[in-house]
Amino acid sequence: MKKEGIEAVESSELRYLELKNKICYQIYQGVYEDGEKIPSERQLAIDYDVSRITVRKALELLEEEGLIVRVVGNGTHVKLRNWGNDTALDMVALVAPSKNPFFVEFITKFQKTAWEHDTLLLYIEVPEKTGLEDCLYQLYSKNIKNAVVWPDDKQVDVKKLLRLRSIGMNLVFFDTDDAFPYADCVYLDNEDAVKTLLESQGKRYDRYLDIGWDKLSVSNVRKREEAFRKNCPDGQVIRVSWRRDRDINEADVQRIEEAARNMGEGLIVCNDRELGQRTAQILYKAGMSETSALAVVDDFDGSESFHVSAYRQDLLQDAKCIYKQLEEQITKGSNWRAKNWAIKGTYVVHREGEE
C-alpha cells in the first residue's frame, strides 16, 4: 500500500476513535443519561463534522463495548451498566488527593503486591481543585483503566462512578465505603477497632473520652465516632478541627489537655494515628500519662516511647485484598458485584520506654 493510502487509513481510524471518545465524554458528563436516546447518525455527522461512515464505526465500537443499544426504528440509547471490565492488569493507577504518612506507607505495601503480579503502579496526586472522578476520567482518556482510589476528604460522586465504570474503568476504593456499589471498598473494620480498644484494657474505667476530627463527611471519621458512642454511650466526645495535613491547632491542643485534666483517671480513645501521637505528647508534657490511659486507632511513629495501646492496620492485607478485587472485576465481567471488605487489624500495647 502506498504511503498516501496508509496515512488515509490511519486518519480514518483516528477520526472514529476520536468521535467514540467524544461520545464517551458526553456520557461521563451526564449529557446523555441512562436510557436516553443520543442523536442520529446524520445529526452526529453534522455536529462533529465527520462522515456517516465515521459515525457508524464509532457507534459500532460503543455497541461492542455495551455502552449503547441500537434498535432499528427506535434509535440509539445509552446503556449504563455496573459491570467489571475486561482490561489488561499490566498497569494500575493509585489515586489520592494528598500524600500523608499513612498513605505513603500504604503505597509501599501496594507497590510490593503489584510488583509480585508484574503490574506497574502509577501514583497520581489529585490537583486541589479537581474532582476525583474528573481525575479518573483523565486516566481513562490515557487508556489507564484500573484505579485504586483513596479519597481522604474528597466527596465521592456515585453517579459519575457509574458512568466511569460503564465506559470501561475498574475501581477499588480504599479507606472508605462511600463508593459502594460502584466500586469494591476496602477499609479498616472501624467497629471492631473501637470496640477492641475499649474492651482490651484489662480494667473498667469510670470515664471515657473520644477524640476525633470534626469532618463527619469522611467515612472513617464518622464511623469511628459512631462506634465509640454505640459502645460507650456515656463517654465524652471532642471533635478537632479537620486539616488535610492532620496538624492540630493550639486551641484544640488546649481543649484536649483541659478535657484530660477534668476527666482524671480514665481512657482516652483517639480515632487516628495523628490524633494519637499529638495526644500522647500532650499527656506526657502535662504529666498525665500515668493517670490517663491512651488507646489509638492505628499505630503511630514513636508510639513505643509512650504507654499506649493501638489497633494496628494490616496494610499488606489491605493491598492484597484490593489487588484481588481488581482481578475479579476483570474476570467476572457482567457477573461482578461490588463488595465491602472490612479488614480487621491487630491489638498491640506499648509500654513507655520499650522498643
PDB file of all heavy atoms in Angstrom, residues 51-66:
ATOM      1  N   SER A  51     -17.887  12.075   8.501  1.00  0.00           N
ATOM      2  CA  SER A  51     -18.729  11.328   7.560  1.00  0.00           C
ATOM      3  C   SER A  51     -19.654  10.372   8.300  1.00  0.00           C
ATOM      4  O   SER A  51     -19.411  10.013   9.457  1.00  0.00           O
ATOM      5  CB  SER A  51     -17.852  10.545   6.582  1.00  0.00           C
ATOM      6  OG  SER A  51     -17.205   9.483   7.264  1.00  0.00           O
ATOM      7  N   ARG A  52     -20.718   9.920   7.631  1.00  0.00           N
ATOM      8  CA  ARG A  52     -21.622   8.941   8.220  1.00  0.00           C
ATOM      9  C   ARG A  52     -20.888   7.631   8.491  1.00  0.00           C
ATOM     10  O   ARG A  52     -21.192   6.922   9.453  1.00  0.00           O
ATOM     11  CB  ARG A  52     -22.804   8.696   7.287  1.00  0.00           C
ATOM     12  CG  ARG A  52     -23.753   9.883   7.135  1.00  0.00           C
ATOM     13  CD  ARG A  52     -24.704   9.985   8.299  1.00  0.00           C
ATOM     14  NE  ARG A  52     -25.652   8.904   8.355  1.00  0.00           N
ATOM     15  CZ  ARG A  52     -26.829   8.892   7.727  1.00  0.00           C
ATOM     16  NH1 ARG A  52     -27.189   9.931   6.963  1.00  0.00           N
ATOM     17  NH2 ARG A  52     -27.646   7.864   7.843  1.00  0.00           N
ATOM     18  N   ILE A  53     -19.903   7.316   7.643  1.00  0.00           N
ATOM     19  CA  ILE A  53     -19.128   6.078   7.838  1.00  0.00           C
ATOM     20  C   ILE A  53     -18.344   6.164   9.155  1.00  0.00           C
ATOM     21  O   ILE A  53     -18.295   5.206   9.932  1.00  0.00           O
ATOM     22  CB  ILE A  53     -18.159   5.844   6.650  1.00  0.00           C
ATOM     23  CG1 ILE A  53     -18.947   5.562   5.379  1.00  0.00           C
ATOM     24  CG2 ILE A  53     -17.195   4.702   6.968  1.00  0.00           C
ATOM     25  CD1 ILE A  53     -18.082   5.438   4.141  1.00  0.00           C
ATOM     26  N   THR A  54     -17.752   7.315   9.426  1.00  0.00           N
ATOM     27  CA  THR A  54     -17.009   7.516  10.681  1.00  0.00           C
ATOM     28  C   THR A  54     -17.938   7.367  11.877  1.00  0.00           C
ATOM     29  O   THR A  54     -17.599   6.717  12.877  1.00  0.00           O
ATOM     30  CB  THR A  54     -16.347   8.903  10.690  1.00  0.00           C
ATOM     31  OG1 THR A  54     -15.385   8.972   9.634  1.00  0.00           O
ATOM     32  CG2 THR A  54     -15.651   9.171  12.023  1.00  0.00           C
ATOM     33  N   VAL A  55     -19.120   7.968  11.782  1.00  0.00           N
ATOM     34  CA  VAL A  55     -20.098   7.859  12.858  1.00  0.00           C
ATOM     35  C   VAL A  55     -20.492   6.407  13.077  1.00  0.00           C
ATOM     36  O   VAL A  55     -20.540   5.924  14.219  1.00  0.00           O
ATOM     37  CB  VAL A  55     -21.361   8.699  12.539  1.00  0.00           C
ATOM     38  CG1 VAL A  55     -22.452   8.434  13.582  1.00  0.00           C
ATOM     39  CG2 VAL A  55     -21.014  10.176  12.508  1.00  0.00           C
ATOM     40  N   ARG A  56     -20.748   5.696  11.999  1.00  0.00           N
ATOM     41  CA  ARG A  56     -21.198   4.306  12.103  1.00  0.00           C
ATOM     42  C   ARG A  56     -20.134   3.444  12.780  1.00  0.00           C
ATOM     43  O   ARG A  56     -20.448   2.606  13.634  1.00  0.00           O
ATOM     44  CB  ARG A  56     -21.529   3.770  10.710  1.00  0.00           C
ATOM     45  CG  ARG A  56     -22.360   2.492  10.707  1.00  0.00           C
ATOM     46  CD  ARG A  56     -22.934   2.201   9.336  1.00  0.00           C
ATOM     47  NE  ARG A  56     -23.863   3.235   8.912  1.00  0.00           N
ATOM     48  CZ  ARG A  56     -23.718   3.962   7.809  1.00  0.00           C
ATOM     49  NH1 ARG A  56     -22.659   3.787   7.029  1.00  0.00           N
ATOM     50  NH2 ARG A  56     -24.613   4.873   7.474  1.00  0.00           N
ATOM     51  N   LYS A  57     -18.873   3.651  12.432  1.00  0.00           N
ATOM     52  CA  LYS A  57     -17.790   2.877  13.050  1.00  0.00           C
ATOM     53  C   LYS A  57     -17.644   3.193  14.539  1.00  0.00           C
ATOM     54  O   LYS A  57     -17.411   2.298  15.355  1.00  0.00           O
ATOM     55  CB  LYS A  57     -16.464   3.145  12.325  1.00  0.00           C
ATOM     56  CG  LYS A  57     -16.370   2.490  10.951  1.00  0.00           C
ATOM     57  CD  LYS A  57     -14.991   2.714  10.340  1.00  0.00           C
ATOM     58  CE  LYS A  57     -14.854   1.972   9.018  1.00  0.00           C
ATOM     59  NZ  LYS A  57     -13.497   2.182   8.417  1.00  0.00           N
ATOM     60  N   ALA A  58     -17.785   4.460  14.886  1.00  0.00           N
ATOM     61  CA  ALA A  58     -17.695   4.847  16.300  1.00  0.00           C
ATOM     62  C   ALA A  58     -18.828   4.201  17.094  1.00  0.00           C
ATOM     63  O   ALA A  58     -18.611   3.685  18.203  1.00  0.00           O
ATOM     64  CB  ALA A  58     -17.754   6.361  16.427  1.00  0.00           C
ATOM     65  N   LEU A  59     -20.031   4.209  16.533  1.00  0.00           N
ATOM     66  CA  LEU A  59     -21.176   3.620  17.223  1.00  0.00           C
ATOM     67  C   LEU A  59     -21.047   2.103  17.317  1.00  0.00           C
ATOM     68  O   LEU A  59     -21.471   1.490  18.314  1.00  0.00           O
ATOM     69  CB  LEU A  59     -22.475   3.992  16.511  1.00  0.00           C
ATOM     70  CG  LEU A  59     -22.845   5.484  16.545  1.00  0.00           C
ATOM     71  CD1 LEU A  59     -24.144   5.732  15.791  1.00  0.00           C
ATOM     72  CD2 LEU A  59     -22.953   5.995  17.976  1.00  0.00           C
ATOM     73  N   GLU A  60     -20.454   1.497  16.318  1.00  0.00           N
ATOM     74  CA  GLU A  60     -20.228   0.045  16.369  1.00  0.00           C
ATOM     75  C   GLU A  60     -19.307  -0.316  17.529  1.00  0.00           C
ATOM     76  O   GLU A  60     -19.529  -1.311  18.235  1.00  0.00           O
ATOM     77  CB  GLU A  60     -19.630  -0.440  15.046  1.00  0.00           C
ATOM     78  CG  GLU A  60     -20.639  -0.507  13.900  1.00  0.00           C
ATOM     79  CD  GLU A  60     -19.979  -0.827  12.563  1.00  0.00           C
ATOM     80  OE1 GLU A  60     -18.721  -0.955  12.539  1.00  0.00           O
ATOM     81  OE2 GLU A  60     -20.696  -0.940  11.559  1.00  0.00           O
ATOM     82  N   LEU A  61     -18.269   0.486  17.727  1.00  0.00           N
ATOM     83  CA  LEU A  61     -17.364   0.247  18.853  1.00  0.00           C
ATOM     84  C   LEU A  61     -18.093   0.386  20.186  1.00  0.00           C
ATOM     85  O   LEU A  61     -17.941  -0.435  21.093  1.00  0.00           O
ATOM     86  CB  LEU A  61     -16.191   1.225  18.811  1.00  0.00           C
ATOM     87  CG  LEU A  61     -15.061   0.942  17.820  1.00  0.00           C
ATOM     88  CD1 LEU A  61     -14.024   2.054  17.895  1.00  0.00           C
ATOM     89  CD2 LEU A  61     -14.406  -0.393  18.104  1.00  0.00           C
ATOM     90  N   LEU A  62     -18.890   1.439  20.317  1.00  0.00           N
ATOM     91  CA  LEU A  62     -19.637   1.655  21.553  1.00  0.00           C
ATOM     92  C   LEU A  62     -20.640   0.531  21.801  1.00  0.00           C
ATOM     93  O   LEU A  62     -20.868   0.134  22.949  1.00  0.00           O
ATOM     94  CB  LEU A  62     -20.360   3.008  21.493  1.00  0.00           C
ATOM     95  CG  LEU A  62     -19.459   4.242  21.506  1.00  0.00           C
ATOM     96  CD1 LEU A  62     -20.259   5.496  21.187  1.00  0.00           C
ATOM     97  CD2 LEU A  62     -18.772   4.392  22.860  1.00  0.00           C
ATOM     98  N   GLU A  63     -21.215   0.026  20.742  1.00  0.00           N
ATOM     99  CA  GLU A  63     -22.170  -1.083  20.888  1.00  0.00           C
ATOM    100  C   GLU A  63     -21.453  -2.362  21.298  1.00  0.00           C
ATOM    101  O   GLU A  63     -21.944  -3.119  22.150  1.00  0.00           O
ATOM    102  CB  GLU A  63     -22.926  -1.294  19.574  1.00  0.00           C
ATOM    103  CG  GLU A  63     -24.076  -2.284  19.693  1.00  0.00           C
ATOM    104  CD  GLU A  63     -24.882  -2.362  18.418  1.00  0.00           C
ATOM    105  OE1 GLU A  63     -24.320  -2.101  17.326  1.00  0.00           O
ATOM    106  OE2 GLU A  63     -26.076  -2.688  18.502  1.00  0.00           O
ATOM    107  N   GLU A  64     -20.286  -2.611  20.727  1.00  0.00           N
ATOM    108  CA  GLU A  64     -19.490  -3.787  21.106  1.00  0.00           C
ATOM    109  C   GLU A  64     -19.117  -3.741  22.583  1.00  0.00           C
ATOM    110  O   GLU A  64     -19.062  -4.773  23.258  1.00  0.00           O
ATOM    111  CB  GLU A  64     -18.221  -3.865  20.258  1.00  0.00           C
ATOM    112  CG  GLU A  64     -18.457  -4.260  18.807  1.00  0.00           C
ATOM    113  CD  GLU A  64     -17.185  -4.169  17.979  1.00  0.00           C
ATOM    114  OE1 GLU A  64     -16.108  -3.944  18.587  1.00  0.00           O
ATOM    115  OE2 GLU A  64     -17.263  -4.315  16.742  1.00  0.00           O
ATOM    116  N   GLU A  65     -18.868  -2.554  23.092  1.00  0.00           N
ATOM    117  CA  GLU A  65     -18.493  -2.390  24.496  1.00  0.00           C
ATOM    118  C   GLU A  65     -19.708  -2.351  25.426  1.00  0.00           C
ATOM    119  O   GLU A  65     -19.559  -2.239  26.645  1.00  0.00           O
ATOM    120  CB  GLU A  65     -17.665  -1.111  24.662  1.00  0.00           C
ATOM    121  CG  GLU A  65     -16.314  -1.194  23.957  1.00  0.00           C
ATOM    122  CD  GLU A  65     -15.526   0.110  24.050  1.00  0.00           C
ATOM    123  OE1 GLU A  65     -15.997   1.037  24.746  1.00  0.00           O
ATOM    124  OE2 GLU A  65     -14.439   0.191  23.433  1.00  0.00           O
ATOM    125  N   GLY A  66     -20.914  -2.435  24.852  1.00  0.00           N
ATOM    126  CA  GLY A  66     -22.124  -2.496  25.662  1.00  0.00           C
ATOM    127  C   GLY A  66     -22.593  -1.165  26.204  1.00  0.00           C
ATOM    128  O   GLY A  66     -23.454  -1.114  27.084  1.00  0.00           O
TER     129      GLY A  66
END
